[in-house]
Amino acid sequence: MEKYLFEQSLVLIPFLNVLGLIFKQIKQINDKYIPLILLLFGLIGSVFVNGFNIQSVIQGVLVTGAAVYSNQLVKQLNK
């Protein structure tokens, strides 16, 4: 079985969730742009953690997707 997320990248998911909550409180940032901003931070964080290569970019996209998806999942389950 192949691993899609590296263990060292998993730390970025809660980091991105917290960042998303912070951005949500900033009234000047429209909610629809928060996932794009988180993607930028996910990519930068992944490159910082994993080094600069194509796998880091993929990891950045995956951890951002996991963070946004988990946030939406919690919101939908609470409705």
Side-chain angles (χ1 to χ4, degrees), residues 10-75:
L10 292 176
V11 70
L12 294 172
I13 295 172
F15 169 73
L16 291 171
N17 275 322
V18 170
L19 230 101
L21 292 173
I22 292 169
F23 290 143
K24 181 81 172 158
Q25 300 303 314
I26 301 173
K27 300 297 180 199
Q28 293 84 356
I29 298 176
N30 194 328
D31 287 351
K32 68 181 181 181
Y33 297 120
I34 293 175
L36 291 174
I37 296 168
L38 291 179
L39 177 61
L40 177 66
F41 279 92
L43 291 171
I44 291 169
S46 182
V47 167
F48 181 74
V49 169
N50 299 309
F52 186 70
N53 55 49
I54 190 67
Q55 282 296 80
S56 293
V57 173
I58 294 169
Q59 291 296 301
V61 171
L62 290 175
V63 295
T64 304
V68 172
Y69 178 77
S70 63
N71 178 270
Q72 288 301 310
L73 185 65
V74 168
K75 281 183 181 179

